[in-house]
Amino acid sequence: MIEGYTGAVMKKDSIAKQAFSMAAPIMVGYLFLGVPCGILSQSVGMDALQVFLLSALFYSGAGQYMIPNMWLLGSPMAAIIASVTLVNSRQMLYSASLSRFCENVNKRLAFLYGATVTDESFAVNVVKLEQGKWNIKGATLVNLFSQSAWALANVLGVVLGSLLTVPTALASFAMTSIFLCLLFSQPGTKGNIAAGVVAALGVFLAKCVGLSGPAILIGALLGVAAGMIVVRKERVSARVMD
Amino acid sequence: MSWTDFALIGLGCAITILVFRTVPLFALRGRELPAWLSQALAFIPPAAFAALIANDILSPGMFDAGLWPAAIPIIAAIIVVPVAIRTKSLVWSIVAGVGSYGLLLLI
């Protein structure tokens, strides 16, 4: 009994440890990106409580930068909500892609997990989940560690304000490096290559025609379509070869 | 920004993102999916990663300030690729990316 008990504790402990080490690079990035976001939020009159609530209930890096920026420009409330919603629409792709890992997970945990997904935590978790080496409990911990860092940094930004200067461009490139690492760790199949190339082109074209809000969603959807076309063609030519 | 303005904007944005984050997950969870849909879902990670990278380093106005400012993130990204393939390590990729980005800024 005692052995079983310590075994369970050990396992729990190692999941938390693994989750923390997976979340650590994201947390460092969020600390550096959250402080200027807090400073910006404070400049439109938000206090520490409001910034904390936004980080806890909304939790979107791009969104939390957009709200004060658009408010400063005098945008109407409906326009702010609509633009932020458009930018965040890409989240439905993550949610759809994560559903296959949430089958045997209880509803509450699946909800908490889904509700706390960001670009970075989606990326880090989905790659491990696909390898079959990870579970939703651990993935939720990664999300919550990342969110804590984000909320803390935002509140620090409000409290300490412009006492802090932060290398935002470097922190933001750290996040880009995370996506680069995970993209180039994917198997180099023809389908994946087509999906990646078309998705990148799609984002650029969407921005060129003035659709920067939903650019990531549009690019990713075009990439998925390209991957599927390539796979279908491969299958047809395999059949002809037979 | 008053508390009312804050509450309306915050709630509006929070509700829509919550719908995006949870509805597809619960709609597809535990269902027998047709093969084409499972395949489409499997293409989401590579497509999304590439889209996020492109969003960070490419934009129509990127050459407005000259060639070099636009080239810096692209060169740094190219430097990350072999490190990512070799090490498959997030930490080393970040070190290579942020390190080369920082050095290129200094040049």
Side-chain angles (χ1 to χ4, degrees):
Chain A
M1 276 305 277
I2 291 170
E3 260 173 37
Y5 177 72
T6 48
V9 170
M10 286 278 287
K11 210 176 150 206
K12 214 174 172 184
D13 184 52
S14 76
I15 284 183
K17 250 188 205 162
Q18 203 184 336
F20 189 80
S21 69
M22 283 166 68
I26 303 176
M27 292 171 75
V28 175
Y30 283 8
L31 282 173
F32 283 112
L33 294 170
V35 168
C37 185
I39 295 174
L40 182 66
S41 306
Q42 191 217 21
S43 73
V44 298
M46 288 189 216
D47 60 27
L49 174 64
Q50 290 173 321
V51 164
F52 175 79
L53 284 173
L54 219 49
S55 305
L57 300 173
F58 175 43
Y59 184 34
S60 150
Q64 282 177 246
Y65 270 101
M66 279 176 79
I67 293 172
N69 267 328
M70 292 186 73
W71 183 262
L72 283 173
L73 292 172
S75 309
M77 201 178 283
I80 298 178
I81 297 173
S83 309
V84 170
T85 299
L86 214 52
V87 168
N88 285 330
S89 56
R90 65 182 186 280
Q91 289 277 344
M92 60 190 170
L93 288 181
Y94 306 156
S95 176
S97 123
L98 290 165
S99 62
R100 59 204 152 125
F101 305 111
C102 293
E103 251 166 61
N104 303 314
V105 175
N106 81 51
K107 267 187 186 171
R108 270 190 205 171
L109 181 62
F111 183 83
L112 178 64
Y113 175 60
T116 51
V117 168
T118 55
D119 298 320
E120 293 78 14
S121 58
F122 162 74
V124 167
N125 279 323
V126 77
V127 169
K128 268 265 163 65
L129 287 165
E130 277 179 342
Q131 294 167 349
K133 291 180 193 160
W134 199 221
N135 57 34
I136 294 297
K137 219 178 233 176
T140 308
L141 285 175
V142 170
N143 288 4
L144 295 177
F145 283 135
S146 309
Q147 186 173 19
S148 310
W150 174 253
L152 174 71
N154 268 272
V155 171
L156 276 179
V158 172
V159 176
L160 300 175
S162 36
L163 286 175
L164 298 169
T165 46
V166 180
T168 317
L170 289 180
S172 148
F173 202 78
M175 303 292 101
T176 315
S177 306
I178 289 182
F179 302 131
L180 280 163
C181 174
L182 296 170
L183 177 65
F184 287 93
S185 310
Q186 297 276 312
T189 60
K190 276 185 191 166
N192 280 351
I193 293 170
V197 171
V198 171
L201 281 175
V203 168
F204 184 72
L205 290 177
K207 283 185 175 182
C208 285
V209 298
L211 292 168
S212 13
I216 297 170
L217 175 70
I218 294 171
L221 283 173
L222 291 174
V224 168
M228 295 190 64
I229 290 169
V230 166
V231 166
R232 191 156 293 185
K233 272 202 179 149
E234 273 183 337
R235 218 174 280 151
V236 169
S237 61
R239 218 173 285 155
V240 172
M241 295 275 277
D242 283 346
Chain B
M1 189 181 281
S2 72
W3 256 101
T4 324
D5 292 331
F6 167 79
L8 287 173
I9 294 175
L11 277 178
C13 295
I15 289 168
T16 58
I17 202 172
L18 188 65
V19 168
F20 293 142
R21 277 172 169 158
T22 55
V23 169
L25 193 157
F26 280 94
L28 300 176
R29 189 176 83 122
R31 285 213 187 158
E32 196 66 43
L33 299 178
W36 67 269
L37 184 55
S38 306
Q39 188 154 55
L41 295 180
F43 276 123
I44 289 176
F49 299 160
L52 288 161
I53 296 162
N55 185 56
D56 289 346
I57 65 178
L58 301 177
S59 70
M62 60 196 279
F63 296 112
D64 289 355
L67 194 63
W68 184 240
I72 289 177
I74 295 174
I75 297 171
I78 292 170
I79 293 173
V80 176
V81 175
V83 177
I85 293 172
R86 261 266 171 89
T87 66
K88 298 204 182 250
S89 146
L90 282 183
V91 174
W92 282 117
S93 301
I94 292 172
V95 168
V98 173
S100 53
Y101 188 88
L103 284 176
L104 290 166
L105 280 178
L106 290 176
I107 292 175

